Amino acid sequence: MKVLVPVKRVIDYNVKVRVKADGSGIDLANVKMAMNPFDEIAVEEAIRLREAGIATEVVAVSCGTTACQETLRTAMALGADRAVLIESDAELQPLAVAKLLKALADKETPQLVILGKQAIDDDSNQTGQMLAALLGWPQATFASKVVIAAGRATVTREIDGGLETLDLPLPAVITTDLRLNEPRYATLPNIMKAKKKPLDVVKPVDLGVDVTPRLATLKVVEPPRRQAGVKVADVAELVSKLKNEAKVIA
């Protein structure tokens, strides 16, 4: 069973994001980049499936600039067998990424596509769902447990009311939630081995996909600064402020 794992290069989650002075976007100058944390979980799950003898090959794929090769090398250092970069300097929105992944899936014919439920930069939470729709495959989102057996996937997913269990025929698309697993660290020997693993580069035009953006970003602004709190002497003063100043109680 071949597993395709899309990964995205994003700003490291420990970095404070800065907005450009003109409001045209995010300032990426000299900013540390890393693999999207939800995609790390997807890579880990795919590797565990291979280690369990269920999957035979794990293929990492990323869409973006040449710099995304670094993210793919990280995925291979974690255990992916090979990687594919769909190289483009254009702004790649969720629908365009889903179309690129669909075209690659048609070429690679994986039995499972597993990816993070969302990226921490745009928080769109759309690519997995769009990909499943384009492929016509069943999908399970926000997975907290995945069991593959007899050509089917049993997925436990988190919902507002608790947990829901889905039974899917393969091939399928699964998106990962935080509680699915704990990603491993890449060891130095594996980092060195990853440099020799195959990494293919293709262009959107090679896949017959138009990646022209459908949406335009009008302006990017930072959230308003949170005002400092105040201390109150007693409950009566607290109730008074909630009623007369905050006006959140009658």
Side-chain angles (χ1 to χ4, degrees), residues 138-140 147 149 151-156 164-170:
Q139 62 175 304
V147 178
R152 303 187 72 86
T154 303
V155 180
T156 302
E164 179 183 49
T165 301
L166 302 177
D167 180 58
L168 314 173
L170 298 180

Side-chain angles (χ1 to χ4, degrees), residues 15 47 78 139 153 182 249:
V15 174
I47 294 168
L78 292 172
Q139 62 175 304
E182 181 82 22
I249 60 175

Side-chain angles (χ1 to χ4, degrees), residues 4 105 110-115 127-143 146 148 151-155 157 165-175:
L4 192 67
Q111 285 70 54
L112 179 65
V113 177
I114 183 166
L115 65 160
T127 304
Q129 293 89 329
M130 289 177 170
L131 175 60
L134 291 171
L135 287 169
W137 291 2
Q139 62 175 304
T141 57
F142 313 147
V146 176
I148 307 291
R152 303 187 72 86
T154 303
V155 180
R157 60 188 302 268
T165 301
L166 302 177
D167 180 58
L168 314 173
L170 298 180
V173 175
I174 297 174
T175 72

Side-chain angles (χ1 to χ4, degrees), residues 68-84:
C68 293
Q69 290 191 22
E70 180 183 350
T71 306
L72 291 171
R73 292 293 178 193
T74 300
M76 289 190 287
L78 292 172
D81 298 293
R82 60 185 177 90
V84 178

Side-chain angles (χ1 to χ4, degrees), residues 18 23 58 66 89 140 152 177 194 198 209:
R18 301 189 307 271
V58 176
T66 305
D89 293 325
R152 303 187 72 86
D177 209 341
V209 177

Side-chain angles (χ1 to χ4, degrees), residues 6-8 10 35-42 94 115-129 141-143 174-178:
V7 296
K8 187 176 183 180
V10 299
M35 185 189 301
N36 178 47
F38 289 102
D39 294 336
E40 281 189 274
I41 294 170
L115 65 160
K117 69 172 185 177
Q118 64 195 74
I120 62 172
D121 52 1
D122 57 16
D123 274 334
S124 290
N125 183 18
Q126 296 176 347
T127 304
Q129 293 89 329
T141 57
F142 313 147
I174 297 174
T175 72
T176 62
D177 209 341
L178 283 173

